[in-house]
Amino acid sequence: MSSENSSADEPSADGGRDDEQRVWDVVVVGAGPAGASAAYAAAVAGRRVLLLEKAELPRYKTCGGGIIGPSRDSLPPGFELPFRDRVHAVTFSNNGRFTRTRRSKQMLFGLINRPEFDQQLVEHAQKAGAELRTGVTVQRVEQHGSAVPDRRSVAVVLQGGETLLARAVVGADGSASRIGAHVGVKLDQVDLGLEAEIPVPETVADDWQGRVLIDWGPIPGSYGWVFPKGDTLTVGVISARGEGAATKRYLEEFIGRLGLAGFEPSISSGHLTRCRADDSPLSRGRVLVCGDAAGLLEPWTREGISFALRSGRLAGEWAVRIAEAHDAVDARRQALNYAFAIKAGLGVEMSVGRRLLTVFERRPGLFHAALTGFRPAWNAFKGITQGATSLGELVRTHPMAQRALTALDRRQTDAEPAATAEAAPATEGAGS
């Protein structure tokens, strides 16, 4: 609990005690992987941390549940992953065709159910000293005005009128983040993910054990997946928002093609993922954003768990520094350092991911051929999923990857005029 943390007896800047003023060092909004990681990082540093969550835990989250190497490496010490399966093989298909399976002796990645995983992360934050409040909705944050007693405080206003005070706030409240709106987060890519949790008989489950399916879809930039989790298969698809009917049709056809249409899903859900624009802010005053709230995820695969865990940890660490800042200049310096840390790591990966998505939207067959028939491409896939490398590191340190990505960029540029020229007759034909 918060009263056990070492900072409880530290005097505030005006000589009073924070306990008397009910001021938290760090308030984290949202108890998903990003928020729980931020709360853990701040609490383990000895700060008084409050973690707020609008739902009751555990709660369902639309997510494939793949835990790749960077996610594993970002977990708190002693965290035991609740794996439902360990993946050693990937079957690739291109809209149901040209199916090929590639295998690895070492585990590629693990599969979890998000309710269990998120709950464990929150419990680790609590053990580190963070206090949890569920069933509370944050309406807004204020850094000026009558609710804010001094320049070192942020007011967190809850639905119902209760106001909490903090020295720093971390927004981890998802892709429709209210804290993100306060910071001014800007998004330049929005995708729709649809997913079904399908209970299957043991004979069907056995066919999928240790193997996932990735299908490059019929909509530009889309793909589908099957992730086995014991007696349940998580089956989903994702594509750009605006293609809702086509995305739903893709999922239905995908499930039918897999021979799973006869099984009733226990859960069917949808979710929008949002990627930040390059110039999108990551802070405002004493407020930071991380994870989905900041639009941090890999644009091509839309993988977000590792981005949430890594950005959450950084947000928690820098929120501690902001909480200790005694003036706006120092707080801004710490916030800028946080932004630099994000952009230097996750930002580079996002930049490469955007370039890959641009090419993938036009030439999914090229990616399929590379991953199924070109050993260096498969080795790169393995290295990324196992945590031995990252997209950014791959391009930065491997000349072959640099040349391949540059060539793909060039082909994309060359293809654009041709595509424009082809568009006119195609339009005429459609209207005849």
Side-chain angles (χ1 to χ4, degrees), residues 48-84:
R48 285 177 299 161
V49 180
L50 178 63
L51 177 59
L52 303 175
E53 169 58 42
K54 67 180 179 180
E56 297 296 337
L57 299 176
R59 47 92 177 99
Y60 181 78
K61 169 76 173 177
T62 304
C63 177
I67 300 297
I68 60 175
S71 298
R72 179 201 63 223
D73 296 341
S74 300
L75 294 168
F79 189 99
E80 293 187 12
L81 279 158
F83 283 146
R84 291 301 178 126

Side-chain angles (χ1 to χ4, degrees), residues 31 50 60 116 129 134 146 281 283 328 343 355 414 428:
L50 178 63
Y60 181 78
E116 295 174 299
T134 60
S146 59
S283 67
K343 292 174 182 177
R355 293 167 69 187
D414 293 343
E428 291 168 7

Side-chain angles (χ1 to χ4, degrees), residues 245-416:
T247 305
K248 184 178 180 181
R249 187 164 56 250
Y250 175 29
L251 178 61
E252 291 171 350
E253 292 174 353
F254 186 44
I255 290 174
R257 196 164 67 222
L258 294 166
L260 301 173
F263 304 113
E264 187 68 25
S266 59
I267 299 174
S268 295
S269 62
H271 179 66
L272 291 177
T273 64
R274 297 173 168 92
C275 288
R276 69 187 294 273
D278 280 335
D279 61 345
S280 179
L282 290 160
S283 67
R284 177 180 173 185
R286 291 176 173 266
V287 179
L288 306 177
V289 285
C290 60
D292 285 346
L296 292 167
L297 70 157
E298 199 277 288
W300 174 38
T301 64
R302 290 80 154 188
E303 190 279 320
I305 295 178
S306 77
F307 279 69
L309 292 169
R310 290 180 284 174
S311 65
R313 186 187 71 244
L314 289 170
E317 292 170 353
W318 289 105
V320 168
R321 295 173 172 88
I322 290 173
E324 295 168 347
H326 287 280
D327 56 51
V329 173
D330 190 21
R332 177 171 173 75
R333 179 165 58 246
Q334 303 303 341
L336 288 172
N337 286 337
Y338 166 69
F340 178 80
I342 291 290
K343 292 174 182 177
L346 300 180
V348 173
E349 292 181 37
M350 289 186 71
S351 177
V352 176
R354 280 193 185 92
R355 293 167 69 187
L356 288 172
L357 176 64
T358 299
V359 180
F360 174 69
E361 287 174 336
R362 297 187 64 88
R363 307 193 67 181
L366 184 64
F367 282 76
H368 183 71
L371 284 167
T372 58
F374 186 50
R375 183 169 293 277
W378 169 245
N379 288 339
F381 178 91
K382 286 198 301 181
I384 290 169
T385 59
Q386 292 171 339
T389 188
S390 68
L391 279 175
E393 186 178 351
L394 200 65
V395 173
R396 186 171 59 250
T397 60
H398 290 69
M400 181 181 292
Q402 292 176 3
R403 289 195 298 271
L405 194 54
T406 300
L408 288 171
D409 286 341
R410 191 178 301 118
R411 287 185 185 184
Q412 171 67 18
T413 301
D414 293 343
E416 285 170 359

Side-chain angles (χ1 to χ4, degrees), residues 2 19 23 27 58 119 125 150 163 204 219 251-252 271 278 309 360 424:
S2 62
D19 276 344
V23 180
V27 168
Q119 179 69 33
D150 58 64
T163 298
V204 176
I219 309 164
L251 178 61
E252 291 171 350
H271 179 66
D278 280 335
L309 292 169
F360 174 69

Side-chain angles (χ1 to χ4, degrees), residues 110-314:
L111 300 174
I112 51 90
N113 283 331
R114 280 290 300 275
E116 295 174 299
F117 179 69
D118 291 11
Q119 179 69 33
Q120 278 189 224
L121 283 171
V122 169
E123 289 171 358
H124 273 261
Q126 289 177 287
K127 289 175 184 176
E131 183 171 323
L132 171 69
R133 282 184 63 181
T134 60
V136 293
T137 298
V138 174
Q139 284 195 323
R140 65 186 184 277
V141 293
E142 298 179 5
Q143 301 195 62
H144 307 283
S146 59
V148 184
D150 58 64
R151 294 182 179 180
R152 287 191 62 208
S153 300
V154 180
V156 180
V157 183
L158 306 182
Q159 195 172 61
E162 182 183 356
T163 298
L164 306 169
L165 295 178
R167 297 301 184 206
V169 171
V170 175
D173 49 335
S175 60
S177 169
R178 293 190 178 186
I179 310 303
H182 172 81
V183 167
V185 171
K186 295 186 289 184
L187 306 162
D188 70 354
Q189 178 186 326
V190 184
D191 296 288
L192 170 64
L194 300 177
E195 194 168 75
E197 301 286 351
I198 304 178
V200 293
E202 185 177 349
T203 52
V204 176
D206 288 346
D207 289 341
W208 286 97
Q209 187 174 7
R211 176 176 66 94
V212 301
L213 169 66
I214 297 176
D215 177 71
W216 314 119
I219 309 164
S222 68
Y223 73 96
W225 62 89
V226 179
F227 284 1
K229 298 170 185 175
D231 60 0
T232 299
L233 300 179
T234 298
V235 184
V237 300
I238 194 165
S239 67
R241 184 177 68 171
E243 299 284 351
T247 305
K248 184 178 180 181
R249 187 164 56 250
Y250 175 29
L251 178 61
E252 291 171 350
E253 292 174 353
F254 186 44
I255 290 174
R257 196 164 67 222
L258 294 166
L260 301 173
F263 304 113
E264 187 68 25
S266 59
I267 299 174
S268 295
S269 62
H271 179 66
L272 291 177
T273 64
R274 297 173 168 92
C275 288
R276 69 187 294 273
D278 280 335
D279 61 345
S280 179
L282 290 160
S283 67
R284 177 180 173 185
R286 291 176 173 266
V287 179
L288 306 177
V289 285
C290 60
D292 285 346
L296 292 167
L297 70 157
E298 199 277 288
W300 174 38
T301 64
R302 290 80 154 188
E303 190 279 320
I305 295 178
S306 77
F307 279 69
L309 292 169
R310 290 180 284 174
S311 65
R313 186 187 71 244
L314 289 170

